[in-house]
Amino acid sequence: MALDDCGRLCKYTLFIFNLIFALVGFVFLGLGLWLRFSDGTRAFFEIEDFNSSTFVIAVTVLIITGLVMLIVVVFGVYGACNEKRCALLTFLVLVTILAGAVIVFGVIAYSSKEEIGLRIAEFYSSIYVLYVANSDPVLAVTLTFIQKLLHCCGATGIPSLDFAKETCPDPDTIWEHIKMDACPGVIVDVFNRNAPVVLGVFVGTGVILFLALICSSILTKKLKTPSTPQYIIRTQPPPSQLEYIPTSTSTYYSYPEQKPVVLNLLTVANNPVVIT
């Protein structure tokens, strides 16, 4: 079915949304699997005492989140590109659940900001200890990303003496060559101080998901299957076409040779109408 301008706009918007969603999903899933099966972190999952640690929970959440995002993308891309209503309806339901979950989690994170900040700091400390013990390149990349993002240096904050000094960001001032902020304290402070921003990020993500939901809903309505026309075949001509042939003994009518006539039977207000 041909789409109008609104339908095409929604189709392309959904495609761009799913492309971005797929990239984020691959990052979450890749990082989660990397942390799960890396030689330096595998011990956390093999030792029973660590099964409830923040690190294990965080990695599990990364993997599950990445998988869910990619599943949503599959339905969204397939439904939008191939104009399949069933796939779009599934995408609509999944996005609705995901948007609600994101907003709820954002509200919970804001109301428990101190506890969440401590848990994130604990997650960083677990990665830091594992890196110091194993020098795993996966953990090095993760530490470098976190420390450059927050502009902090390891667990001590002393670039020249820290056990993970090679992952620390470049100092901005002369004093920072000697002393920088330690990352665990910065993480707690940043999360507590910027809790409204964190809530805004979650709410903004939920709004984007709802926009994708609206686009998928509009596109689903545009793809409603039209009524299929039905046809009947008439082989007998109407009475007006009968030919009168008189004879001496009898009178009879003959039908001239007719070709089958195909009629289109449409349904109008549930009443069949024959168009000749």
Side-chain angles (χ1 to χ4, degrees):
M1 178 181 177
L3 296 173
D4 56 12
D5 293 338
C6 181
R8 285 193 294 270
L9 177 62
C10 288
K11 178 178 179 178
Y12 297 141
T13 301
L14 280 180
F15 180 78
I16 295 173
F17 166 82
N18 282 287
L19 179 62
I20 298 174
F21 216 55
L23 292 176
V24 177
F26 275 120
V27 171
F28 283 179
L29 181 60
L31 179 60
L33 292 176
W34 201 357
L35 294 174
R36 171 62 180 85
F37 296 105
S38 174
D39 292 336
T41 59
R42 192 176 300 167
F44 267 86
F45 299 89
E46 295 176 350
I47 299 175
E48 187 176 354
D49 293 339
F50 290 149
N51 285 343
S52 60
S53 69
T54 302
F55 180 82
V56 173
I57 295 173
V59 171
T60 305
V61 170
L62 279 175
I63 295 174
I64 294 175
T65 303
L67 284 174
V68 171
M69 292 176 72
L70 293 179
I71 291 173
V72 172
V73 167
V74 169
F75 284 104
V77 171
Y78 178 75
C81 293
N82 295 283
E83 300 181 2
K84 301 294 185 181
R85 294 187 70 245
C86 183
L88 284 173
L89 288 173
T90 305
F91 173 79
L92 190 150
V93 172
L94 292 176
V95 169
T96 302
I97 297 173
L98 198 58
V102 167
I103 294 177
V104 169
F105 186 79
V107 173
I108 294 175
Y110 179 78
S111 60
S112 306
K113 52 183 178 293
E114 295 182 0
E115 179 67 21
I116 298 295
L118 290 173
R119 294 297 181 183
I120 295 175
E122 183 181 339
F123 174 71
Y124 168 83
S125 299
S126 299
I127 296 177
Y128 178 86
V129 171
L130 286 172
Y131 173 73
V132 172
N134 300 289
S135 299
D136 192 293
V138 179
L139 302 176
V141 172
T142 306
L143 283 179
T144 301
F145 174 77
I146 295 174
Q147 293 177 165
K148 285 187 175 181
L149 180 65
L150 301 176
H151 196 72
C152 57
C153 181
T156 63
I158 304 176
S160 59
L161 299 177
D162 195 87
F163 294 108
K165 59 184 178 182
E166 60 275 7
T167 63
C168 293
D170 297 330
D172 291 336
T173 63
I174 296 177
W175 171 248
E176 286 186 348
H177 284 84
I178 302 173
K179 183 72 172 70
M180 295 178 69
D181 293 328
C183 288
V186 172
I187 291 173
V188 174
D189 182 62
V190 167
F191 197 88
N192 291 336
R193 189 174 63 248
N194 297 317
V197 177
V198 174
L199 176 62
V201 170
F202 280 105
V203 173
T205 303
V207 170
I208 293 174
L209 291 172
F210 274 115
L211 290 176
L213 187 151
I214 293 172
C215 282
S216 63
S217 180
I218 293 174
L219 186 58
T220 301
K221 292 181 180 179
K222 297 289 184 181
L223 294 176
K224 282 186 177 179
T225 306
S227 299
T228 304
Q230 299 177 356
Y231 297 92
I232 60 174
I233 299 177
R234 189 181 68 187
T235 58
Q236 182 177 355
S240 60
Q241 297 183 8
L242 296 178
E243 182 180 354
Y244 173 70
I245 303 178
T247 64
S248 59
T249 58
S250 63
T251 301
Y252 67 92
Y253 293 90
S254 67
Y255 293 98
E257 183 179 356
Q258 296 287 332
K259 294 182 178 179
V261 179
V262 179
L263 302 179
N264 189 359
L265 180 61
L266 301 178
T267 301
V268 180
N270 297 325
N271 294 321
V273 178
V274 177
I275 302 175
T276 58

